[in-house]
Amino acid sequence: MSLQTHLSQLARKHEALEREIHEAILRPAEDDLHIAELKRRKLLLKDEISRLQAADTVH
């Protein structure tokens, strides 16, 4: 898998988590711990994307 393909997949996952977080926040019965976990996963994806982009810039 090329780096660009991997970055695209990570970006799609990040966007999907963003939508899921937004929808969860709108549901009053949603568990705060679940929302926090979604945000943590989204941040990890963002960090991975940034790390890969930085590594690609170096090469």
Side-chain angles (χ1 to χ4, degrees), residues 38-55:
L38 292 173
K39 288 182 177 183
R40 185 188 70 77
R41 288 175 34 208
K42 181 182 162 204
L43 182 59
L44 288 173
L45 279 172
K46 182 179 177 184
D47 289 346
E48 178 73 3
I49 291 167
S50 296
R51 185 184 65 76
L52 290 171
Q53 287 174 332

Side-chain angles (χ1 to χ4, degrees), residues 11-28 30-42 45:
R12 282 193 300 275
K13 288 179 182 180
H14 185 268
E15 291 168 8
L17 278 171
E18 178 65 32
R19 286 189 302 274
E20 191 175 347
I21 290 167
H22 179 72
E23 291 169 6
I25 289 171
L26 294 177
R27 290 189 297 266
E30 191 63 44
D31 181 16
D32 287 340
L33 290 175
H34 178 69
I35 293 172
E37 174 62 19
L38 292 173
K39 288 182 177 183
R40 185 188 70 77
R41 288 175 34 208
K42 181 182 162 204
L45 279 172

